[in-house]
Amino acid sequence: ILETEKPLNLNLYGQHFSYIADLDLYSKSYRCKSCSKLWSHLGHMRRHAKTCEGGVKHKYGSGTFELRPTIFELLEEEGISIPQELHAFPFRATYDIECMLKKEVDIENSDKITYTSKHELASVSVCSNVPGFTSQSASFYPSKVVKSN
């Protein structure tokens, strides 16, 4: 946002927008759009935003996060070149596992935990683009899902 432009502050509630005339009265925290840092005063956030260089800076035990080189980049540094078409495996498999919550719990409660339900396997589906394995495979466990009469 340029200094000459004034942002239009809106509140979204359900499917309805409402105009926020005074952001100071509306909110008690303000986020920098560039780096996501939070401020308790709008003026402080605006002052910061003028000089913010952007980018979220995450701190980790060894310092600021940096992307590690890929195995292909490390090999390249050693003089070993792998063709680009071999960087990604051409085949994929995808799966979906569905569970249900069973009220009958056969797990002992402890002093701090009370079990109310247990996850039970309901179905497993698998599909891939591997030649010979491209049709969807599904297994259902209806005896666990639907009680018999």
Side-chain angles (χ1 to χ4, degrees):
I1 298 175
L2 300 175
E3 285 186 42
T4 56
E5 295 177 349
K6 184 178 178 189
L8 177 65
N9 297 304
L10 299 173
N11 175 55
L12 175 62
Y13 180 77
Q15 298 289 322
H16 177 73
F17 282 103
S18 58
Y19 174 65
I20 301 169
D22 188 345
L23 196 57
D24 281 323
L25 292 175
Y26 178 79
S27 179
K28 297 298 177 205
S29 63
Y30 309 92
R31 184 179 57 87
C32 174
K33 292 180 182 175
S34 298
C35 70
S36 295
K37 185 171 181 178
L38 292 174
W39 302 91
S40 58
H41 299 286
L42 180 60
H44 295 171
M45 188 277 300
R46 286 184 175 155
R47 180 179 59 211
H48 159 82
K50 290 178 182 178
T51 59
C52 180
E53 295 177 11
V56 177
K57 294 181 176 129
H58 296 285
K59 298 262 180 170
Y60 295 88
S62 59
T64 305
F65 175 77
E66 293 178 16
L67 285 176
R68 294 182 180 170
T70 66
I71 186 66
F72 303 108
E73 292 167 339
L74 292 172
L75 287 170
E76 194 73 40
E77 290 175 9
E78 299 297 323
I80 302 170
S81 181
I82 306 294
Q84 185 66 35
E85 63 270 10
L86 296 178
H87 283 209
F89 193 66
F91 301 111
R92 303 280 187 266
T94 185
Y95 62 91
D96 180 43
I97 298 175
E98 299 294 333
C99 292
M100 60 176 264
L101 290 174
K102 186 177 178 182
K103 291 287 184 186
E104 302 164 15
V105 181
D106 56 358
I107 304 170
E108 290 288 323
N109 293 331
S110 71
D111 292 340
K112 295 184 178 184
I113 299 173
T114 301
Y115 293 95
T116 59
S117 302
K118 180 179 176 182
H119 278 89
E120 291 281 340
L121 181 63
S123 69
V124 177
S125 300
V126 181
C127 193
S128 78
N129 67 345
V130 177
F133 298 94
T134 56
S135 62
Q136 181 179 359
S137 171
S139 298
F140 296 94
Y141 300 90
S143 63
K144 294 185 178 190
V145 177
V146 180
K147 287 186 178 181
S148 303
N149 288 338

